[in-house]
Amino acid sequence: MVIDGELRPGIGQEFPVTNPATGEMIGTARDATVGEIKEACEVAREAWQYWAFDHTPIQVKEQVFQNTWEALNRNRYPIAWDMAEECGKTIEECDWDVQEAMDTYRHYMGEISRVHGRSDQTQLKNKKRETIRMPYGVVACAMPFNFPLGIFSWKTGGAIAGGNAIVIKDAEQTPFSAEWATQLFLESLEKELSHNSKQFKRVRGILNLIHGRGNEGDKTGARLAQLNLYDLFVFTGGIETGKKIGEVCGKNLKPFHPELGGHAGVVMLSEYVERRGLEKAVGEVIRGALGTNAQRCVTARRGFVEKAIFWDTVKVHMEMARAWKIGDPRDPVTKFGPLIEESAVQKCEQVVEELAQTGYYPVIGGYRLCPETVTRAKEHGFTFDADDFKKGGRLAKGNFFVPTVYVN
């Protein structure tokens, strides 16, 4: 974890971090204790007093963001490699994730000097109303695994630019990417304040990173919400978890910004197909459906197709889904990697089973890719290196589920 600018191993319960493509443990992290969460919130509040308002000049803040952009750019490939190993996204998408963080920090560098207030007329004679934008103070954040750097930058970039301090809990599956980002930001801060060590010590607590598992029982996410040592809670994740955090924030009269799950639907019109071609149209749907290994809140989960082009669309959809190379996400030719953990595979299997009980069966897919299904998957036309998934293969214990298509 990173608390008050210091890298710490933590003293809470240890848990494993695994590579979802191989099933191998690649490291460990620890659940933040109540004491560690309190300390992170307290140093954040102290640092906020010196980061906001006139204590830290705008030019310094802008240069810190510029330094962070440069640091991410210098380290983009090792960051992307580590990200692919811990979250299972393809190396190409992980590089995009780093780029998104760079773009986000560059954007908010420009917003630092544009935190404008406003002046308005009122209903009273010779009276004006002045509005000044003020920071919240301490912003608590919790994020999912699927965009370990992109969502990290959304949560931290705007808030820090606006004069706030941060306590962020990363996803338990992806602690290394968040550590990369936190360390690089604080190194950028120290670089800009190298001439003023006293000021650096005052503000180094504006960004604190805690690790820990989800929202169940007394785990880290629940502790962070319940301690009520923040002024705003920002969350990206599942609906049920969002409800629980919202309930806590509501009881404490604290503002809550949730970005919750909800998959997208795509409407495919024959007019578009006539203009752009069927492969172009289906390609858009496939990228929306299978991108990020089909694990994002804007995944194109449903397609609505005009009757005249329906079966042609299904045919091309199946061909493209089969053509996406399944494999090690660190291999540049891989298009579709593993699901994040075993429980995600089990959820997919459960959905397939429940649909079968009501008479619905997939036209392709519907099973995990493992030693027992290698032959079946090859016969069904999926693209992968069979040796990787046979017994003893390097991906045989990974969390892979083949692309799956239902109709009607």
Side-chain angles (χ1 to χ4, degrees):
M1 295 180 283
V2 183
I3 299 176
D4 200 21
E6 297 178 350
L7 189 64
R8 302 184 186 182
I11 60 174
Q13 185 176 351
E14 189 176 57
F15 60 91
V17 182
T18 60
N19 180 336
T22 64
E24 297 172 344
M25 188 173 77
I26 55 177
T28 62
R30 291 182 180 271
D31 293 320
T33 64
V34 171
E36 288 167 330
I37 298 171
K38 283 184 177 178
E39 183 183 2
C41 293
E42 288 166 358
V43 299
R45 191 164 299 283
E46 181 68 21
W48 166 66
Q49 305 292 336
Y50 292 97
W51 178 255
F53 314 117
D54 299 327
H55 295 289
T56 304
I58 285 177
Q59 298 95 318
V60 170
K61 295 177 181 177
E62 289 175 336
Q63 192 58 49
V64 170
F65 275 64
Q66 176 65 25
N67 293 345
T68 302
W69 184 93
E70 293 172 355
L72 288 168
N73 194 35
R74 283 195 307 272
N75 293 280
R76 64 185 303 157
Y77 298 112
I79 295 174
W81 184 267
D82 285 355
M83 190 187 305
E85 187 174 46
E86 67 177 351
C87 83
K89 286 203 302 187
T90 66
I91 192 69
E92 181 182 37
E93 275 207 50
C94 289
D95 184 59
W96 297 345
D97 208 314
V98 180
Q99 183 65 53
E100 183 166 353
M102 291 166 55
D103 293 343
T104 301
Y105 281 118
R106 172 176 278 177
H107 169 76
Y108 282 115
M109 179 180 71
E111 290 297 300
I112 291 170
S113 59
R114 291 195 286 268
V115 185
H116 302 307
R118 56 187 289 179
S119 176
D120 302 288
Q121 297 287 346
T122 74
Q123 294 175 326
L124 301 176
K125 186 179 180 181
N126 298 324
K127 299 284 184 180
K128 280 191 175 183
R129 175 177 59 229
E130 296 290 336
T131 304
I132 302 174
R133 286 189 170 186
M134 303 288 281
Y136 282 96
V138 176
V139 179
C141 312
M143 53 177 282
F145 67 88
N146 52 355
F147 294 90
L149 223 63
I151 294 180
F152 182 96
S153 65
W154 307 347
K155 297 281 178 276
T156 60
I160 293 175
N164 301 280
I166 304 291
V167 176
I168 187 165
K169 190 203 88 66
D170 54 20
E172 59 263 39
Q173 302 93 341
T174 54
F176 304 129
S177 299
E179 184 187 318
W180 262 111
T182 304
Q183 292 256 74
L184 292 179
F185 184 91
L186 292 174
E187 288 172 8
S188 300
L189 178 66
E190 186 174 20
K191 176 182 177 182
E192 189 56 26
L193 293 175
S194 58
H195 64 287
N196 190 344
S197 59
K198 183 178 180 180
Q199 177 66 357
F200 173 69
K201 289 179 181 178
R202 285 172 169 173
V203 299
R204 66 187 180 185
I206 60 166
L207 177 55
N208 303 276
L209 172 69
I210 58 175
H211 301 313
R213 286 168 286 184
N215 67 312
E216 297 179 6
D218 61 351
K219 299 304 183 186
T220 308
R223 288 170 176 167
L224 178 60
Q226 292 163 359
L227 282 173
N228 192 28
L229 297 175
Y230 49 86
D231 303 294
L232 165 70
F233 204 111
V234 183
F235 172 73
T236 296
I239 293 173
E240 292 306 314
T241 303
K243 288 179 180 179
K244 293 175 182 177
I245 297 174
E247 184 177 351
V248 173
C249 291
K251 288 180 179 178
N252 295 326
L253 296 180
K254 295 292 178 66
F256 175 44
H257 292 179
E259 182 203 3
L260 306 181
H263 297 128
V266 178
V267 178
M268 187 182 295
L269 302 179
S270 56
E271 180 185 358
Y272 181 88
V273 172
E274 290 169 5
R275 291 203 331 264
R276 304 300 300 274
L278 188 57
E279 289 196 359
K280 168 69 175 175
V282 175
E284 297 285 352
V285 181
I286 286 287
R287 281 189 290 275
L290 300 185
T292 320
N293 304 341
Q295 296 178 116
R296 55 189 179 199
C297 59
V298 292
T299 292
R301 190 68 77 223
R302 302 173 303 281
F304 299 96
V305 184
E306 283 194 69
K307 187 175 182 179
I309 58 171
F310 181 79
W311 286 110
D312 288 340
T313 300
V314 171
K315 178 183 177 183
V316 176
H317 200 104
M318 292 164 59
E319 291 171 354
M320 288 190 172
R322 290 189 181 107
W324 272 46
K325 173 72 180 295
I326 307 169
D328 187 335
R330 292 170 297 179
D331 186 339
V333 301
T334 294
K335 295 288 287 182
F336 195 65
L339 302 184
I340 189 62
E341 54 197 0
E342 171 63 20
S343 63
V345 179
Q346 292 174 357
K347 286 180 182 178
C348 290
E349 291 177 321
Q350 181 181 352
V351 169
V352 172
E353 184 178 340
E354 290 175 352
L355 287 172
Q357 291 173 356
T358 60
Y360 288 96
Y361 299 91
V363 290
I364 59 168
Y367 51 90
R368 69 172 67 206
L369 182 55
C370 61
E372 291 73 28
T373 63
V374 166
T375 302
R376 178 183 177 189
K378 274 296 181 183
E379 290 174 351
H380 291 173
F382 290 106
T383 305
F384 59 94
D385 293 329
D387 289 343
D388 289 341
F389 294 92
K390 290 179 180 178
K391 189 174 182 179
R394 61 194 184 98
L395 305 180
K397 296 182 180 179
N399 305 319
F400 290 89
F401 199 90
V402 296
T404 301
V405 179
Y406 284 85
V407 297
N408 295 329

Coordinates of all heavy atoms in Angstrom, one line a residue, residues 65-66 68-69 72 100-110 149 152-154 156-158 160 181 185 207:
F65 N 1.2 17.2 -12.9 CA 0.4 16.4 -13.9 C 1.2 16.1 -15.1 O 1.1 15.0 -15.7 CB -0.9 17.1 -14.2 CG -2.0 16.8 -13.2 CD1 -1.9 17.2 -11.9 CD2 -3.2 16.2 -13.6 CE1 -2.9 17.0 -11.0 CE2 -4.2 15.9 -12.7 CZ -4.1 16.3 -11.4
Q66 N 2.0 17.1 -15.6 CA 2.8 16.9 -16.7 C 3.9 15.9 -16.5 O 4.2 15.0 -17.3 CB 3.5 18.3 -17.1 CG 4.5 18.2 -18.3 CD 3.8 17.8 -19.6 OE1 2.6 18.0 -19.8 NE2 4.6 17.2 -20.5
T68 N 3.7 13.5 -14.4 CA 3.0 12.2 -14.3 C 2.8 11.6 -15.7 O 3.0 10.4 -16.0 CB 1.7 12.3 -13.6 OG1 1.9 12.8 -12.2 CG2 1.0 10.9 -13.4
W69 N 2.3 12.5 -16.6 CA 2.1 12.1 -18.0 C 3.4 11.5 -18.6 O 3.5 10.4 -19.2 CB 1.7 13.2 -18.9 CG 1.3 12.9 -20.3 CD1 0.1 12.6 -20.8 CD2 2.3 12.9 -21.4 NE1 0.3 12.3 -22.2 CE2 1.6 12.5 -22.5 CE3 3.7 13.1 -21.5 CZ2 2.2 12.4 -23.8 CZ3 4.3 13.0 -22.7 CH2 3.5 12.6 -23.9
L72 N 4.3 8.1 -17.0 CA 3.5 7.0 -17.5 C 4.0 6.6 -18.9 O 4.1 5.4 -19.3 CB 2.1 7.4 -17.6 CG 1.3 7.5 -16.2 CD1 0.0 8.1 -16.4 CD2 1.2 6.1 -15.6
E100 N -4.9 5.8 -22.0 CA -6.1 6.5 -21.4 C -5.7 7.3 -20.2 O -6.2 8.4 -19.9 CB -7.2 5.5 -21.2 CG -8.5 6.2 -20.7 CD -9.7 5.2 -20.7 OE1 -9.6 4.1 -21.3 OE2 -10.7 5.7 -20.2
A101 N -4.9 6.7 -19.3 CA -4.5 7.3 -18.1 C -3.7 8.6 -18.4 O -3.8 9.7 -17.8 CB -3.7 6.4 -17.2
M102 N -2.8 8.5 -19.4 CA -2.0 9.6 -19.8 C -2.9 10.7 -20.4 O -2.7 11.9 -20.0 CB -1.0 9.2 -20.9 CG 0.1 8.3 -20.4 SD 1.0 7.4 -21.8 CE 1.5 8.9 -22.8
D103 N -3.8 10.4 -21.2 CA -4.8 11.4 -21.8 C -5.6 12.0 -20.7 O -5.8 13.2 -20.7 CB -5.7 10.7 -22.8 CG -5.0 10.2 -24.0 OD1 -3.8 10.6 -24.3 OD2 -5.6 9.4 -24.7
T104 N -6.0 11.2 -19.7 CA -6.8 11.8 -18.6 C -6.0 12.8 -17.7 O -6.5 13.9 -17.4 CB -7.3 10.7 -17.7 OG1 -8.1 9.8 -18.5 CG2 -8.2 11.2 -16.5
Y105 N -4.8 12.5 -17.4 CA -4.0 13.4 -16.6 C -3.7 14.7 -17.4 O -3.6 15.8 -16.9 CB -2.7 12.7 -16.1 CG -2.9 11.8 -14.9 CD1 -2.7 10.5 -14.9 CD2 -3.4 12.4 -13.7 CE1 -2.9 9.7 -13.8 CE2 -3.6 11.6 -12.6 CZ -3.4 10.2 -12.7 OH -3.6 9.4 -11.6
R106 N -3.4 14.5 -18.7 CA -3.1 15.7 -19.5 C -4.3 16.6 -19.6 O -4.2 17.8 -19.5 CB -2.7 15.2 -20.9 CG -2.6 16.4 -21.9 CD -2.0 15.9 -23.2 NE -0.6 15.8 -23.2 CZ 0.1 15.4 -24.3 NH1 -0.5 15.0 -25.4 NH2 1.4 15.3 -24.2
H107 N -5.5 16.0 -19.7 CA -6.8 16.8 -19.8 C -6.9 17.6 -18.5 O -7.2 18.8 -18.5 CB -8.0 15.8 -20.0 CG -9.3 16.5 -19.8 ND1 -9.8 17.4 -20.7 CD2 -10.1 16.5 -18.7 CE1 -11.0 17.9 -20.2 NE2 -11.2 17.3 -19.0
Y108 N -6.8 16.9 -17.3 CA -7.0 17.6 -16.1 C -5.9 18.5 -15.7 O -6.1 19.4 -14.9 CB -7.3 16.5 -14.9 CG -8.7 16.0 -15.0 CD1 -8.9 14.6 -15.3 CD2 -9.8 16.8 -14.8 CE1 -10.2 14.1 -15.4 CE2 -11.1 16.3 -14.9 CZ -11.3 15.0 -15.2 OH -12.5 14.5 -15.3
M109 N -4.7 18.4 -16.3 CA -3.7 19.4 -16.2 C -4.3 20.7 -16.7 O -4.0 21.8 -16.0 CB -2.5 19.0 -16.9 CG -1.3 20.1 -16.8 SD 0.1 19.6 -17.8 CE -0.5 19.7 -19.5
G110 N -5.0 20.7 -17.8 CA -5.6 21.9 -18.3 C -6.8 22.4 -17.5 O -7.0 23.6 -17.5
L149 N -5.7 1.1 -14.8 CA -5.1 2.4 -14.8 C -6.1 3.4 -15.3 O -6.1 4.6 -14.9 CB -3.9 2.4 -15.7 CG -2.7 3.1 -15.2 CD1 -2.2 2.4 -13.9 CD2 -1.5 3.1 -16.2
F152 N -8.5 4.2 -12.6 CA -7.7 4.9 -11.5 C -7.5 6.4 -11.9 O -7.6 7.3 -11.0 CB -6.3 4.2 -11.4 CG -5.4 4.8 -10.4 CD1 -5.3 4.2 -9.1 CD2 -4.6 5.9 -10.6 CE1 -4.5 4.7 -8.1 CE2 -3.8 6.4 -9.7 CZ -3.7 5.8 -8.4
S153 N -7.2 6.7 -13.1 CA -7.0 8.1 -13.5 C -8.3 8.9 -13.5 O -8.3 10.1 -13.2 CB -6.3 8.1 -14.9 OG -7.2 7.6 -15.9
W154 N -9.4 8.2 -13.9 CA -10.7 8.9 -13.8 C -10.9 9.4 -12.3 O -11.4 10.5 -12.0 CB -11.9 8.1 -14.2 CG -11.8 7.4 -15.5 CD1 -10.9 7.7 -16.5 CD2 -12.6 6.4 -16.0 NE1 -11.1 6.8 -17.6 CE2 -12.2 6.0 -17.3 CE3 -13.7 5.7 -15.5 CZ2 -12.8 5.0 -18.1 CZ3 -14.3 4.7 -16.2 CH2 -13.9 4.4 -17.5
T156 N -8.8 9.7 -9.8 CA -7.9 10.6 -9.1 C -7.6 11.9 -9.8 O -7.4 12.9 -9.2 CB -6.5 9.9 -8.9 OG1 -6.0 9.5 -10.2 CG2 -6.7 8.6 -8.1
G157 N -7.6 11.9 -11.2 CA -7.2 13.1 -12.0 C -8.0 14.3 -11.7 O -7.5 15.3 -11.3
G158 N -9.3 14.2 -11.9 CA -10.2 15.3 -11.7 C -10.3 15.8 -10.2 O -10.3 17.0 -9.9
I160 N -8.0 15.4 -7.8 CA -6.8 16.1 -7.3 C -6.6 17.4 -8.0 O -6.2 18.4 -7.4 CB -5.5 15.2 -7.6 CG1 -5.6 13.9 -6.7 CG2 -4.2 15.9 -7.3 CD1 -4.5 12.9 -7.0
A181 N 0.8 3.4 -10.7 CA 0.3 4.7 -10.9 C 0.5 5.6 -9.7 O 0.8 6.8 -9.8 CB -1.2 4.6 -11.2
F185 N 2.9 9.0 -9.7 CA 2.3 10.3 -9.3 C 3.1 11.0 -8.2 O 3.5 12.2 -8.3 CB 0.8 10.2 -9.0 CG 0.2 11.6 -8.7 CD1 -0.4 12.3 -9.8 CD2 0.2 12.2 -7.5 CE1 -1.0 13.5 -9.6 CE2 -0.4 13.4 -7.3 CZ -1.0 14.1 -8.3
L207 N -2.5 11.5 -2.2 CA -2.9 10.3 -2.9 C -2.4 9.1 -2.1 O -1.2 8.8 -2.0 CB -2.3 10.3 -4.3 CG -2.6 9.0 -5.2 CD1 -4.0 8.8 -5.3 CD2 -1.9 9.2 -6.6

